[in-house]
């Protein structure tokens, strides 16, 4: 893979500007269906997809690939084409992350877009129009929410954690009393961004997250001083041949170290 360390700032700014403009419009399109009883189908058994997902995906694909015709394309709502593996850079897109919440009228959903090169996100945007929030980051340039810099919060006596109950229940007993559990958040991308924003301290992620769920959010969290890691404590790679991940953990500091012990023994 080609290294990404020598990319100039103007290149990253151009990528970010493109993503932000496209995500803003895709968010506007999705909002046109929000709480308007959009048509919904189910794929893979119980995973919903709505006409809003398809409309936003169509716009993003047409707009982004027209601007960068040599880039690969990987989206939850588009059939994967292995030709993307030959591209230097790839757009990784979830037109609506948190579709179930979107359909239920909840506000914690977002348009997630990233540009990936050599397995790493160079620029990422989460557009959350129902909450009037836009998260973004570029590699080495920090993370922001509506223009304000983001930083994970320092671990305190009490910490707020999210994720599947069986995984949280495996935390050491002497940690359990320090943990406040967050209620269910439909969007994984938004949940990770909440750590970057200091609203959450950490989250476990059950197996089967896909690149499009986390490529943008992982960069935002990393640039805010946190980490999204696999069960081996390794950073994730995106837009390769394998786009599905096992159990993950996101957070920072000593809490993340303890979570690593839980994942090491997790069966998923």
């Amino acid at each position: 893979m080609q290294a990404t360390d020598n990319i100039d700032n103007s290149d990253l700014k151009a990528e970010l500007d493109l993503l932000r403009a496209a995500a803003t419009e895709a968010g506007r399109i999705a909002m046109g269906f929000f709480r308007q009883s959009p048509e919904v189908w189910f794929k893979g058994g119980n995973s919903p997809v709505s006409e809003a997902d398809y409309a936003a995906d169509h716009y993003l694909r047409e707009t982004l690939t027209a601007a960068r015709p040599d880039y690969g394309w990987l989206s939850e709502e588009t059939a994967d084409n292995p030709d993307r593996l030959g591209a230097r850079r790839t757009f990784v897109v979830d037109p609506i992350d948190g579709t179930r919440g979107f359909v239920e009228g909840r506000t914690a959903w977002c348009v997630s877009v990233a540009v990936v090169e050599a397995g790493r996100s160079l620029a990422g945007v989460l557009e959350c129009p129902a909450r009037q929030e836009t998260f973004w980051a570029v590699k080495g340039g920090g993370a922001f929410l509506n223009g304000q810099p983001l930083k994970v919060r320092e671990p305190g006596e009490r910490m707020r954690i999210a994720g599947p109950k069986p995984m949280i229940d495996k935390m050491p007993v002497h940690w359990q009393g320090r943990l406040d559990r967050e209620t269910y958040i439909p969007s994984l991308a938004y949940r990770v961004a909440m750590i970057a924003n200091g609203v959450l301290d950490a989250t476990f992620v059950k197996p089967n997250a896909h690149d499009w769920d986390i490529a943008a959010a992982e960069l935002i969290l990393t640039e805010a001083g946190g980490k999204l890691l696999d069960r081996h404590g390794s950073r994730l790679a995106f837009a390769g041949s394998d786009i599905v991940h096992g159990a993950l953990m996101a957070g920072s500091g000593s809490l993340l170290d303890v979570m690593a012990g839980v994942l090491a023994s997790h069966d998923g």
Side-chain angles (χ1 to χ4, degrees), residues 145-180:
L145 168 58
N146 293 349
Q148 298 301 309
L150 295 177
K151 182 175 174 57
V152 296
R153 67 184 179 187
E154 295 296 324
E157 181 58 31
R158 300 207 60 79
M159 302 182 189
R160 181 162 291 276
I161 190 169
K165 183 179 184 297
M167 299 175 80
I168 299 176
D169 286 347
K170 290 183 179 180
M171 291 286 284
V173 173
H174 63 279
W175 277 82
Q176 292 288 345
R178 299 178 60 187
L179 301 177
D180 296 316

Side-chain angles (χ1 to χ4, degrees), residues 25-182:
E25 179 60 18
R28 188 195 67 77
I29 291 170
M31 283 297 289
F33 296 90
F34 185 52
R35 295 175 175 169
Q36 301 299 316
S37 301
E39 189 167 1
V40 178
W41 303 267
F42 287 88
K43 55 185 181 179
N46 63 353
S47 179
V49 59
S50 74
E51 58 182 321
D53 293 81
Y54 290 137
D57 186 71
H58 176 77
Y59 169 78
L60 288 167
R61 186 176 187 185
E62 292 295 311
T63 301
L64 294 175
T65 59
R68 305 283 194 271
D70 57 329
Y71 283 22
W73 178 261
L74 177 63
S75 168
E76 180 173 15
E77 309 308 345
T78 307
D80 194 9
N81 185 335
D83 289 349
R84 66 175 174 78
L85 297 174
R88 182 171 69 96
R89 292 182 179 176
T90 299
F91 292 114
V92 180
V93 172
D94 192 340
I96 298 180
D97 187 74
T99 298
R100 189 178 302 278
F102 176 91
V103 170
E104 293 172 353
R106 304 187 188 191
T107 58
W109 57 271
C110 55
V111 178
S112 175
V113 290
V115 170
V116 172
E117 180 180 335
R120 297 281 187 252
S121 296
L122 300 180
V125 175
L126 299 180
E127 178 69 21
C128 314
R131 295 194 168 190
Q132 298 182 321
E133 295 176 341
T134 306
F135 296 83
W136 71 85
V138 293
K139 184 176 182 292
F144 300 86
L145 168 58
N146 293 349
Q148 298 301 309
L150 295 177
K151 182 175 174 57
V152 296
R153 67 184 179 187
E154 295 296 324
E157 181 58 31
R158 300 207 60 79
M159 302 182 189
R160 181 162 291 276
I161 190 169
K165 183 179 184 297
M167 299 175 80
I168 299 176
D169 286 347
K170 290 183 179 180
M171 291 286 284
V173 173
H174 63 279
W175 277 82
Q176 292 288 345
R178 299 178 60 187
L179 301 177
D180 296 316
R181 303 190 185 198
E182 181 69 24

Side-chain angles (χ1 to χ4, degrees), residues 1-5 84-85 87-88 90 116-120 211 236-242:
M1 290 185 174
Q2 179 179 342
T4 61
D5 293 336
R84 66 175 174 78
L85 297 174
R88 182 171 69 96
T90 299
V116 172
E117 180 180 335
R120 297 281 187 252
D211 283 0
L236 309 181
F238 303 117
S241 57
D242 186 358

Side-chain angles (χ1 to χ4, degrees), residues 17 38 81 145 172 194 210 222 230 234 241 265:
D17 288 347
N81 185 335
L145 168 58
M194 288 171 70
H210 289 64
T222 299
D230 66 16
S234 299
S241 57
S265 63

Side-chain angles (χ1 to χ4, degrees), residues 200-220:
L200 284 178
D201 290 287
T203 186
F204 285 110
V205 180
K206 66 182 180 181
N208 205 40
H210 289 64
D211 283 0
W212 47 69
D213 299 312
I214 50 179
E218 188 268 350
L219 178 64
I220 291 165

